[in-house]
Amino acid sequence: MFALLFATFGVILSAKYSNITNDQSALLALKSHIIHDPHNFLVTNWSTSASVCNWIGVTCGSKHQRVIALNLSPMDLTGTIPYQLGNLSFLGWLDIHDNNFHGSISIEFADLHRLKYFHLGNNNFNGEIPLWFGSFA
Ligand SMILES: *[C@@H]1O[C@H](CO)[C@@H](O)[C@H](O)[C@H]1NC(C)=O
Ligand SMILES: *[C@@H]1O[C@H](CO)[C@@H](O)[C@H](O)[C@H]1NC(C)=O
Ligand SMILES: *[C@@H]1O[C@H](CO)[C@@H](O)[C@H](O)[C@H]1NC(C)=O
């Protein structure tokens, strides 16, 4: 009960003190962890000269102008998922299936409290998907 209250409070605080700049840093961290982008989807498009809300695969909410959905499928991307993705505090939808992401899914994903849908299939993740992931399925 206290843990739940505390977690809820934490979400409110992190949402209050973060902004679209945090979302941009998180996505730039993801971009820097992509080692092969054969169709150049992200190379020029994910540029700081444009708002992240105009980046390919990124959807922002109309109310808060924060990243609510990420759809990078299928882009033939090779790379890993950095822990910073857990900073996308408004993310509700994550679809990265049909790529070549590998490595492990960091526990920092547990920070994505608003995540309601995710599709990670057809990648090369190793290890087990953490148990708490099942709570969304
Ligand atoms: C986001 O927050 C940081 C630190 O509080 C601030 O410096 C920056 O100007 C803010 N950016 C936007 C787009 O509001
Ligand atoms: C993510 O959030 C943590 C904790 O608030 C912060 O230290 C880190 O710099 C953030 N990372 C990015 C990429 O914004
Ligand atoms: C990035 O891609 C989006 C969606 O295809 C497009 O609307 C936008 O103009 C592109 N931005 C740049 C800088 O190429």
Side-chain angles (χ1 to χ4, degrees):
M1 182 60 187
F2 280 124
L4 189 66
L5 278 177
F6 195 69
T8 308
F9 194 57
V11 171
I12 292 165
L13 277 183
S14 65
K16 182 168 181 190
Y17 293 111
S18 71
N19 60 28
I20 190 76
T21 307
N22 297 71
D23 291 357
Q24 187 193 60
S25 320
L27 290 175
L28 286 176
L30 173 62
K31 183 184 176 183
S32 74
H33 281 73
I34 287 170
I35 55 176
H36 191 48
D37 175 7
H39 311 293
N40 292 329
F41 276 118
L42 311 186
V43 175
T44 50
N45 192 279
W46 281 25
S47 152
T48 51
S49 60
S51 161
V52 294
C53 299
N54 295 326
W55 291 2
I56 191 165
V58 177
T59 305
C60 288
S62 50
K63 192 167 157 210
H64 300 293
Q65 287 295 300
R66 298 292 301 272
V67 174
I68 57 166
L70 191 57
N71 183 355
L72 302 181
S73 177
M75 293 187 177
D76 287 336
L77 304 173
T78 301
T80 53
I81 302 293
Y83 74 90
Q84 287 96 333
L85 215 69
N87 282 15
L88 291 175
S89 33
F90 285 78
L91 195 70
W93 173 286
L94 176 66
D95 188 351
I96 57 171
H97 82 274
D98 280 334
N99 283 292
N100 292 304
F101 284 108
H102 56 274
S104 57
I105 299 275
S106 163
I107 195 65
E108 271 78 10
F109 263 51
D111 293 338
L112 296 173
H113 300 282
R114 289 181 170 83
L115 196 61
K116 293 203 172 53
Y117 172 92
F118 60 89
H119 192 351
L120 309 176
N122 275 339
N123 281 287
N124 296 305
F125 290 117
N126 56 34
E128 290 180 38
I129 303 290
L131 269 183
W132 50 263
F133 251 80
S135 63
F136 295 108

